[in-house]
Every structure is written in structure tokens, then in C-alpha cells.
Amino acid sequence: MLKPTPTPTRELVNLDGVWRFGIDSRLGEQPWAGPLESPLEAAVPASYNDLFTDAEIRDHVGWVYYQREVRVPRGWSDERILLRFDAATHAARVYVDDELVGEHIGGYTPFDIDLTERVQAGGAFRLTVAVSGELTNETIPPGKIEVGMTGKRTQTYFHDFYNYAGLARSVWLYSVPATRIDDVTVVTGFEGTTGQVEYRVEVIGDADVRVRLTDAAGAVVAEGSGAEGTLSVADVVLWKPGSAYLYQLTVEAVRGDEVLDSYPVAVGVRTVEVRGHEFLINGEPFYFTGFGKHEDAAVRGKGHDDAYMVHDFQLMEWSGANSFRTSHYPYAEEVLDFADRHGVVVIDETAAVGLNMGVVGGMSGTPPFPTFSEQYAGAATHAAHAQHLRELIGRDKNHPSVVMWCIANEPASNEDGAREYFEPLVDLARELDPTRPLTYSLVMFATFKNDQIVDLFDVVSMNRYYGWYIATGDLKTAEMYLQGDIQGWVERTGKPIMMTEYGADTQPGLHSVWDQAWTEEYQADLLEMYHRVFDRFPQFVGEQVWNFADFATSNGIHRVDGNKKGVFTRDRKPKSAAFALRRRWRGLDGRKPGSDA
Ligand code: BDP
């Protein structure tokens, strides 16, 4: 799915700003049929939950309404007119004036609605969007809605981060020509000093395709024609971690000399491969350093914010991180574009978090009923998961920064039914993208003895909390657990292994001379212990600390003002561990992880 981009043949109007806002319980029937009768206004992009002082809005379970007037540029009379939501979390119904014009389910992938037949160039219309943050056993991620003693509907879910909802990413009105480029897929490779850019273009309407590859200075380095082909790039400059280089593929739909549509795709020439126990980028072993992150900040919730994005990448670079995982959902496309431009490696994760009834059983991991059953993750969940995977790969397939898909976070891969659930999804992902390795993040109680799906995947990604949830405050015991655990996976799989989560909640400013949980010293010591163990295994290909920054969680007795496993606070101040990571990841300790130097 092509991101709306202004080109010589496409125009774009950004609809971000302050919209009228109300929750369904306070609005009349069919609130879209006129101006919203609500005194409230909400910022877009932002999750709505933390904008207001009213707890009923924050915890609202149901539909909320956003509304604004939209003017269509008058030059668009011969164009198709599309509306794009970069995300509506988790479901949306879109109304133009009094009419329902489209719906979408899935909170972290974009969708378009064609308004050409309903709006007029030079005219205006009332745009109303109903958004629901509800999670059920038919959604990804899953959740459960219960009605309590007071009659209030409450949402529970099986992940710890707060279930922010609303229009957290940009909204656009854009024009495209009737005959147009509908999709572009790029796959790159190289041999010696010659790069290859394989492309495939889908066109709507009757047109020929012409492509042109330009280098970073704008010089044409290759040209081609036809809907598919391979371009050769002499003296190719590769896209490398830490050293991004982007070409631009300009795709044109043409009839004779007339250019009907034009669309640019940023192309980084690089390869990704798993060979034996190595993860190779451009044929060279790559060792991931970095974090699991969240889209999370005060007030805006999961609202995309360019300032936070720039600053987060700065802090990652400062700490020596070369990568991150989009835990636990696809991030805004701006983030991937930024990673492409700055040579940061991304593990792109779906929103399938919480497919695990075992977490309800606490540390025993005993599920109250089977995870993979109609009661929880059944046929409807599976269909939603598959659709989400299609939308994710459709959106992100051309990003050089994305080197691996993570299909789920901590699913109950130890339970019966896991294989039947995951095998078709793995097949689907490989069909949609045969080029990138696949992984899933392994929950603690999915062990090398009882996991049922690891052979379907390319990389073993472990989430482990020895020294925190297990052997709390006892790093000696934790080290023995960790050593045995990794050893077990090495012997079982022979695949590359990485740690996609490890860490400790830490209250900034809390210090102790003892091994005391929650102190800054304990967080740093725990990470150091893990690193000592990782360095003993040549099969180890990476470490991503949980988490980059503290983040908001749902109400619960296990968290005080959110999850505090951040190496940075929620407002991005470093805890002591940040300096220790910087020393290790930048090689200031004398040795960079994953290198022989
Ligand atoms: C893991 C989850 C992650 C949590 C983390 C924690 O993958 O989302 O935030 O535990 O407990 O199980 O801090």
C-alpha cells in the first residue's frame, strides 16, 4: 500500500489539527448526522485517553466520535479523491455528511476510502469518524469486555501497556489520477560491486510502466520499462546499518510520452539472510544492539510526534543502539522512513500481543482454558491476525531498515494448538515476503523443552526475566537459569538466538549498595550479568533491552505509574543503565558486542 506522497501527479491535504470530539454515551442517535453535540475537541494525531481530565472518557469502552469540516481543493475535478487514515485504533467507521462510506478493523495499519463519487472538487463536507478501542476474542490484539456490578463495561487485555485509542496518526485527503500506480514492490541484491533492484508495479487502468533509479545526488543510474524488471546498478553503494544510502526509484505510468502518474520509492540496496547460526546483512554477520520500544508519551499517548521521534533516535544513537523492535504493534510509517534514512535496523512486529492465556496463570504459566480455542484465539482471531499480517507486509515491504518480521509477542507456543495456529501464518508471511527472516518473541514459560513452533521460524527471539520475575534480587541464581536456558535453545535449534526482552523495573533516583530490586544499580547489574552470559555464546546475534523508556500501563497492582523498565524515563532522561549500555554498545569497554575486536 503506497503512502500518500505529493508528486507531479498527486496532491495532498493534511487533516491533522483539532477536531470536534464526543463519546457515544453522551451523544444522540446517529451523531454523524449533524455537528457533534459535544463541548469537547481533541487533537489529531493523539490518543484521546489522556487529553481530558474526565476519567469516564479515559476509560471509555465503546465508540468515540471525531468530526471536522473538510474542503476539497478545486483543482481536483478530474482526479480520484481518497481519504487516508494512517491508523485508527482499533476500529473505525467513516461518515461523509450523513453517509457511512467505509470501515476498518485493526488499530495500527493504514486504510483508504475512495470518496470520488461522494465529494466535489471545490466543495466541502462533514467528516465524522467513529473509533472504537474495544478488544475482544475476535481482534488482534485480543481482549475481553466485562460488565461489572455497577453496570459499567470494562476492558481487560493480556498485555501490560495501556490500551490507548483514537486517531493517533495523521489523516489525509489526497488526489490520485484515474489511471495510476497502485502498488510497487522492490527487492534488492548485489553481486560484487553491481547492485540489483528488482521491481514489480501494479497499475490501475491502461498504461505502460517506466522506471528510473537515481542516486542520492539525483543522477540517473539505471532505467527500465515494463511492469516488472531488474535494474543493474554499477558501483552500488549499499544500505548498511549505521550507514544508510538511499536511491530513489521513480515509477511512472505512461501512455506514449504522457506521464499519467508518478510515484517515488526510496530504495536501499541490501540483503538479509540467516545462515547457520548467523544473521547476515549484506553477507556480513550482524549483531543487534538496542531496545524494544513503545509509541508512548505523556498526554499524547500513542500519538505520533516528530519531535519525540527525532529525539528517540538521537538517544538510541547516543547509547550505541543499532536497532529496535516495534514492540508490540507496527509503528507509524514516519518512523520506518526515518530508520531507512539513518541506517537503523528494525524488527517489525505485528500487533499480536497477548495470545497467551498462560499469563493469567501468573508465573506458573498454567492457562485457565486453552489459548488456542474458540473461547480465546479461535478462527476469528486467526483471520484477524492473517489480515493484519497482509496489511503490515503490504505497508512495510519496501523499507530497507526492516530486516525481519516478528509475527507475535509471547504467544503460548508451548500449548497444544500453537502449531495449527501459527503454521498457516508463517506460510502466509513467506508467501507475502519470501526475502525476510521470521521470528516471534518467546515467553518465559515456552521453554526449549515444550515449545511447539520454533522450527517454523528462522531466528530464536527470547524474552527472559531472570533476576526480575524469577530469582528476584538474586543475580547469581538468575545467571545460572539464563545460561542453562540459552544452552538449551542452542542445542535444540542451531539457529541464531537473540534476546528481545530483558530488564528490570527501576525507579530513577533509587540507589542501594545491595542487590536491591528497583534501584538504578540493580538494573545496570542485571543487564551486565545478561551480557556476560550472551558473550559466552557464538550463536548469539543480538540484545534488545526491555524497554527504551518507561511507558503507561493499565491499572494494576504490579505497576506504579507505569512500567519502569525503561533505560530512559518516560520523559527521556537517562537512568544509570543508559550509561552502562553506552559503554558496552559503543565499545568504550574495549570490545563491541558481536565483534571479535
Ligand atoms: C513481557 C512483555 C512486555 C512487558 C514485559 C514486562 O512482552 O510487553 O512489558 O513482559 O513485564 O512479558 O515488563
Side-chain angles (χ1 to χ4, degrees):
M1 184 179 213
L2 302 179
K3 187 180 173 198
T5 306
T7 77
T9 56
R10 297 169 172 236
E11 287 171 12
L12 198 56
V13 176
N14 180 270
L15 300 180
D16 296 351
V18 179
W19 296 39
R20 290 195 285 281
F21 180 84
I23 59 175
D24 60 357
S25 50
R26 297 185 192 168
L27 296 166
E29 295 278 299
Q30 306 200 334
W32 57 88
L36 283 190
E37 288 175 17
S38 165
L40 301 173
E41 296 188 294
V44 176
S47 307
Y48 66 80
N49 311 74
D50 291 354
L51 296 179
F52 308 102
T53 53
D54 186 340
E56 202 184 319
I57 300 176
R58 184 167 203 268
D59 300 328
H60 182 65
V61 182
W63 294 96
V64 303
Y65 286 84
Y66 289 80
Q67 190 180 66
R68 62 165 285 162
E69 313 304 320
V70 178
R71 182 154 285 285
V72 184
R74 52 184 183 161
W76 288 11
S77 46
D78 293 332
E79 310 298 312
R80 305 297 300 182
I81 299 170
L82 305 182
L83 190 59
R84 160 74 56 106
F85 291 88
D86 284 351
T89 318
H90 298 281
R93 290 183 188 152
V94 181
Y95 303 84
V96 164
D97 296 327
D98 292 356
E99 226 181 316
L100 177 70
V101 295
E103 297 183 66
H104 182 258
I105 293 173
Y108 302 99
T109 43
F111 59 98
D112 273 346
I113 298 172
D114 190 332
L115 299 184
T116 316
E117 311 307 331
R118 301 173 196 270
V119 303
Q120 298 219 317
F125 63 93
R126 186 176 63 250
L127 174 62
T128 311
V129 191
V131 184
S132 165
E134 291 190 6
L135 298 174
T136 68
N137 66 343
E138 302 196 346
T139 60
I140 288 291
K144 194 173 170 190
I145 295 166
E146 283 159 317
V147 180
M149 286 162 77
T150 60
K152 189 179 151 204
R153 299 174 80 225
T154 46
Q155 174 79 64
T156 48
Y157 36 92
F158 308 93
H159 51 80
D160 73 340
F161 62 92
Y162 187 82
N163 182 39
Y164 282 113
L167 296 178
R169 297 180 190 161
S170 287
V171 185
W172 309 90
L173 188 72
Y174 70 110
S175 74
V176 292
T179 300
R180 65 182 178 275
I181 299 150
D182 193 41
D183 198 16
V184 182
T185 308
V186 169
V187 174
T188 63
F190 66 94
E191 242 168 78
T193 56
T194 307
Q196 288 117 30
V197 176
E198 226 179 282
Y199 69 90
R200 202 175 63 241
V201 181
E202 281 165 40
V203 172
I204 294 179
D206 179 23
D208 295 324
V209 172
R210 189 161 90 180
V211 300
R212 185 167 75 240
L213 193 74
T214 42
D215 65 15
V220 176
V221 294
E223 286 179 287
S225 58
E228 313 193 1
T230 303
L231 303 177
S232 279
V233 189
D235 298 321
V236 67
V237 184
L238 298 179
W239 186 98
K240 292 181 180 166
S243 171
Y245 187 92
L246 294 176
Y247 292 88
Q248 179 176 300
L249 183 72
T250 304
V251 181
E252 290 175 331
V254 294
R255 206 174 288 145
D257 281 342
E258 193 191 355
V259 177
L260 302 173
D261 192 16
S262 163
Y263 192 87
V265 179
V267 175
V269 180
R270 58 109 185 92
T271 59
V272 179
E273 189 192 343
V274 166
R275 198 186 301 149
H277 61 71
E278 290 183 317
F279 193 98
L280 306 175
I281 299 184
N282 300 332
E284 290 172 16
F286 179 69
Y287 191 92
F288 297 79
T289 58
F291 303 95
K293 286 186 93 257
H294 264 301
E295 292 188 310
D296 177 88
V299 185
R300 49 179 54 78
K302 297 207 172 301
H304 174 72
D305 182 295
D306 284 340
Y308 268 97
M309 176 181 74
V310 169
H311 193 56
D312 282 5
F313 275 88
Q314 280 283 299
L315 291 177
M316 284 194 279
E317 192 195 342
W318 174 88
S319 64
N322 60 19
S323 68
F324 64 93
R325 176 170 62 119
T326 70
S327 42
H328 294 308
Y329 37 81
Y331 290 1
E333 274 184 274
E334 289 86 338
V335 176
L336 298 179
D337 290 341
F338 199 93
D340 289 345
R341 292 197 299 275
H342 294 270
V344 178
V345 169
V346 178
I347 300 175
D348 205 351
E349 183 163 290
T350 69
V353 53
L355 290 173
N356 200 327
M357 271 295 109
V359 294
V360 178
M363 274 305 117
S364 75
T366 314
F369 51 79
T371 297
F372 301 103
S373 61
E374 281 311 311
Q375 219 170 335
Y376 192 59
T381 320
H382 194 270
H385 199 157
Q387 177 57 20
H388 174 60
L389 205 50
R390 282 185 206 101
E391 292 182 20
L392 169 68
I393 296 179
R395 191 193 74 162
D396 292 350
K397 62 188 171 184
N398 292 331
H399 287 286
S401 58
V402 174
V403 300
M404 178 153 66
W405 305 112
C406 182
I407 285 188
N409 183 66
E410 300 193 343
S413 59
N414 52 315
E415 277 188 51
D416 289 345
R419 210 174 168 88
E420 291 74 5
Y421 184 94
F422 278 102
E423 204 162 4
L425 294 176
V426 167
D427 292 345
L428 175 65
R430 293 205 193 277
E431 183 195 318
L432 293 167
D433 178 7
T435 72
R436 285 180 182 85
L438 300 179
T439 194
Y440 62 110
S441 284
L442 272 144
V443 69
M444 276 252 273
F445 32 80
T447 67
F448 59 84
K449 291 193 184 130
N450 65 19
D451 173 273
Q452 305 193 9
I453 62 172
V454 71
D455 57 295
L456 302 173
F457 293 81
D458 304 298
V459 173
V460 181
S461 297
M462 303 170 71
N463 292 359
R464 291 297 185 262
Y465 287 96
Y466 302 120
W468 189 253
Y469 295 121
I470 289 179
T472 318
D474 179 359
L475 293 179
K476 283 214 173 73
T477 305
E479 181 165 349
M480 291 167 85
Y481 273 127
L482 182 64
Q483 173 80 26
D485 196 345
I486 297 175
Q487 185 66 41
W489 287 103
V490 166
E491 285 165 15
R492 175 170 167 188
T493 70
K495 294 178 195 274
I497 300 176
M498 66 183 293
M499 193 63 66
T500 34
E501 283 186 31
Y502 61 114
D505 282 273
T506 303
Q507 178 62 32
L510 205 61
H511 297 283
S512 174
V513 293
W514 302 298
D515 274 351
Q516 201 175 311
W518 292 92
T519 60
E520 295 200 30
E521 289 76 17
Y522 190 71
Q523 185 182 36
D525 289 349
L526 181 143
L527 298 181
E528 192 189 317
M529 178 279 279
Y530 274 72
H531 298 153
R532 196 160 55 233
V533 177
F534 299 165
D535 290 346
R536 292 180 198 136
F537 291 96
Q539 297 83 354
F540 226 71
V541 299
E543 52 198 59
Q544 291 184 331
V545 174
W546 191 254
N547 188 284
F548 170 73
D550 295 345
F551 58 90
T553 55
S554 58
N555 282 338
I557 51 170
H558 299 291
R559 305 276 188 246
V560 182
D561 191 32
N563 187 312
K564 291 279 197 299
K565 294 193 187 70
V567 167
F568 297 93
T569 60
R570 201 181 189 206
D571 60 356
R572 277 52 173 178
K573 300 280 191 327
K575 301 179 190 171
S576 300
F579 297 92
L581 286 176
R582 175 174 155 86
R583 281 194 297 277
R584 172 172 168 84
W585 290 346
R586 291 186 150 255
L588 307 176
D589 285 344
R591 180 184 177 277
K592 266 190 123 173
S595 76
D596 297 328

